[in-house]
Amino acid sequence: FPVTIRMQKKRGEHDDRMERQRARRDYDAKGIDRKGKDIDHVKMLSKGGSNATGTRLVSPSKNRARNGHKPS
């Protein structure tokens, strides 16, 4: 387990994973049912986005189909 976290940090993935977790916790704290939905960051984390730049609930297929393209 600790080896996995060290590797994620080395690859620069740990911060993005924590940002995704914070977004999930925010939705849960507000009591929003996210069952069957993905939390989409309006500006993708890999492009420098954050929870502060906006999140929304979308279907998993729509979120994955976006693949780096601007939201519609």
Side-chain angles (χ1 to χ4, degrees), residues 7-8 18 29 31-32 36 41 43-45 48 51 55 60 63 69:
M7 292 303 294
Q8 286 177 344
M18 291 289 95
I32 299 171
H41 288 83
K43 183 174 182 182
M44 294 170 50
L45 296 176
N51 291 343
T55 59
N63 190 33
H69 301 285

Side-chain angles (χ1 to χ4, degrees), residues 16-28:
D16 288 348
R17 187 171 62 83
M18 291 289 95
E19 193 74 10
R20 287 184 193 94
Q21 182 62 34
R22 280 190 289 275
R24 286 190 292 270
R25 286 188 197 138
D26 287 345
Y27 274 84
D28 292 344

Side-chain angles (χ1 to χ4, degrees), residues 38-69:
D38 279 1
I39 297 176
D40 176 38
H41 288 83
V42 175
K43 183 174 182 182
M44 294 170 50
L45 296 176
S46 63
K47 304 286 186 189
S50 69
N51 291 343
T53 58
T55 59
R56 61 186 172 191
L57 287 177
V58 296
S59 68
S61 60
K62 186 171 185 177
N63 190 33
R64 291 177 181 100
R66 200 173 132 205
N67 196 24
H69 301 285

